[in-house]
Amino acid sequence: MREESNYLAEILVATTWRCNLNCTYCFIRNHQIAHESEQMTPEIAIQIVDLLDKALVHFETICIHFYGGEPLINLPAVKAMVDRACQKKPGRFRFAITTNGYTDNPSVFKILEKGSFQIILSIDGPEKIHDQCRRTITNKPTHATVLKFLESVKEKTHCWVRGSSVVRSEWSLKNAIEYLSKLPVDAFKAQAVRAKIGSPFSLSDKEKSNYLNELEEIGKTVISEIEDGHVPKDDRFSNRVLQLLTGKKRDSFCGAGYSTFGITPDGTILPCLLMDEKEAAIGHIKDNLTEWIKNGQKWRKEHNVRIECNNCSAIKLCGGGCYAITPVCGEEECEIVRKNCEVASLIYSHFKRNPEKLLVLAGIL
């Protein structure tokens, strides 16, 4: 297995904070509204690619993950970045995008194909469920357009697609998974809504209990798929199972500040795109070539493991909690992460006598 920290850097890039949807449960909506006027220019997009190529020499591959906002609103910046990256050493860059799929621009698919994108497509469920929350800023439903987008991706590109759903009150994890499994996607994920306790769509105590039980059922399905030599389409447990297989301990929740960074539309660099620019900025693309990397490492040392996580049973598999999400969702987020770690341990234990079967999770078998 490759050492991930030396192999891959993931850079979340917001080409715009604008969004063409007004999802009722969006946990970064307030941030978007405050910065909606910011729009990345193609010139900045090109500068970002050049900077990453020169500065991240200690990484073999750089994944540029378009985020936002809705990235496809600013197609010129996306295209400029893909075109520039394709001029670099083959394999140096790869691309991912988190998108709501609400577009009818035919040129989108040429860009996605050129960049061989991994697409994370937000689609919550059937029309009634999806359109309840995911509507345009003018209150139009979006489900039909999103399905058409998915159909076009499959017809016009060779892109890998992950269907992504938000589980909320009156829409269970089981229902979301059953729906996603019927779509023409390569993988899927469904996770609980990230909202403050008491928000309209947050899970009730009973729904949260059911959610945790349903995670165990997904774990059983994953075990069956691995036994059959298949890569699970729901891969939420895979990284932690492989972590147990290699015997490694996480020293942080994610790679923020070291192997993961965020870049805003104006070129500000953050340890993670979901953090507040004023509080967490570590540099700008026009600054010294590597100063932001040093600042990221400093940030990482100062935000390694939260004090409240030191005695948690899941600390070895979790790494200390997300500094961007945990402050929003609190203990509810931690409870779900602990359950994910618990199920990952159960999966690993099942294959303890035949650990080689777990290599399918790393794409080795």
Side-chain angles (χ1 to χ4, degrees):
M1 293 176 61
R2 277 172 162 158
E3 182 65 45
E4 188 72 10
S5 60
N6 295 327
Y7 167 59
L8 179 67
E10 182 173 27
I11 316 298
L12 287 112
V13 176
T15 60
T16 178
W17 284 121
R18 290 175 52 224
C19 189
N20 49 8
L21 268 58
N22 187 26
C23 301
T24 49
Y25 51 63
C26 182
F27 70 96
I28 60 172
R29 182 60 180 158
N30 290 336
H31 181 80
Q32 291 172 335
I33 292 173
H35 298 84
E36 276 189 340
S37 62
E38 294 181 5
Q39 189 93 338
M40 183 178 289
T41 65
E43 291 74 20
I44 289 179
I46 291 171
Q47 290 175 31
I48 290 172
V49 173
D50 290 342
L51 171 70
L52 297 176
D53 189 35
K54 293 177 182 178
L56 296 177
V57 292
H58 48 301
F59 289 98
E60 181 181 337
T61 302
I62 301 167
C63 176
I64 294 178
H65 186 151
F66 294 103
Y67 205 76
E70 170 48 49
L72 295 180
I73 286 179
N74 189 358
L75 206 56
V78 174
K79 182 179 185 301
M81 205 170 284
V82 172
D83 288 345
R84 188 66 162 185
C86 288
Q87 296 173 8
K88 305 296 182 179
K89 178 182 176 182
R92 178 61 169 151
F93 285 91
R94 68 191 201 194
F95 293 95
I97 186 170
T98 294
T99 177
N100 57 43
Y102 191 76
T103 179
D104 57 2
N105 188 334
S107 61
V108 164
F109 305 103
K110 293 181 180 179
I111 297 171
L112 293 175
E113 176 69 1
K114 183 174 183 178
S116 299
F117 273 73
Q118 289 189 340
I119 301 171
I120 295 86
L121 178 62
S122 298
I123 180 166
D124 278 359
E127 184 176 3
K128 181 180 178 180
I129 296 297
H130 180 92
D131 288 341
Q132 180 185 12
C133 294
R134 303 189 65 82
R135 303 180 75 88
T136 70
I137 55 177
T138 56
N139 203 35
K140 293 180 180 179
T142 64
H143 184 266
T145 302
V146 177
L147 284 187
K148 186 176 180 181
F149 174 85
L150 175 58
E151 180 182 342
S152 295
V153 166
K154 287 300 181 179
E155 288 181 353
K156 301 177 181 180
T157 80
H158 296 84
C159 294
W160 181 93
V161 182
R162 181 193 298 277
S164 177
S165 293
V166 172
V167 176
R168 73 253 188 181
S169 183
E170 299 183 6
W171 180 241
S172 70
L173 176 59
K174 180 181 178 181
N175 288 337
I177 292 299
E178 287 179 350
Y179 176 78
L180 289 171
S181 64
K182 297 175 183 177
L183 296 178
V185 295
D186 302 286
F188 48 74
K189 70 172 183 177
Q191 61 187 29
V193 62
R194 284 166 166 167
K196 292 182 179 180
I197 296 175
S199 298
F201 292 100
S202 60
L203 302 179
S204 67
D205 289 343
K206 182 178 181 180
E207 288 172 329
K208 184 168 64 175
S209 177
N210 290 338
Y211 181 93
L212 298 177
N213 290 334
E214 287 163 359
L215 284 175
E216 291 188 16
E217 293 304 312
I218 293 173
K220 294 176 183 178
T221 300
V222 167
I223 288 173
S224 296
E225 290 173 325
I226 296 174
E227 286 282 14
D228 293 337
H230 299 146
V231 179
K233 278 196 168 185
D234 190 322
D235 58 3
R236 74 183 71 212
F237 307 116
S238 297
N239 284 339
R240 290 190 171 99
V241 173
L242 290 173
Q243 182 187 338
L244 288 166
L245 182 63
T246 57
K248 292 180 179 178
K249 175 185 175 182
R250 287 196 184 194
D251 60 1
S252 64
F253 183 78
C254 66
Y258 176 70
S259 61
T260 303
F261 296 93
I263 303 181
T264 70
D266 72 352
T268 299
I269 305 175
L270 307 165
C272 172
L273 192 61
L274 300 181
M275 293 176 179
D276 184 84
E277 293 179 37
K278 294 181 179 179
E279 297 179 2
I282 57 175
H284 191 276
I285 62 168
K286 294 182 180 179
D287 294 343
N288 177 279
L289 182 64
T290 59
E291 188 67 23
W292 59 278
I293 296 178
K294 295 177 183 177
N295 290 339
Q297 293 172 346
K298 180 181 177 182
W299 180 92
R300 186 178 175 87
K301 288 180 180 178
E302 295 173 348
H303 299 78
N304 195 359
V305 177
R306 299 182 309 137
I307 295 175
E308 55 266 50
C309 297
N310 284 325
N311 296 320
C312 178
S313 61
I315 185 65
K316 291 183 179 180
L317 284 179
C318 169
C322 175
Y323 270 88
I325 301 300
T326 304
V328 176
C329 305
E331 176 58 26
E332 191 167 276
E333 179 75 9
C334 289
E335 189 174 0
I336 291 172
V337 172
R338 281 195 292 270
K339 190 65 176 183
N340 282 329
C341 292
E342 177 187 323
V343 176
S345 296
L346 291 173
I347 295 170
Y348 172 72
S349 296
H350 178 87
F351 292 97
K352 213 162 186 179
R353 294 185 178 180
N354 299 288
E356 67 278 358
K357 288 190 174 182
L358 294 174
L359 295 177
V360 71
L361 300 178
I364 293 178
L365 297 181

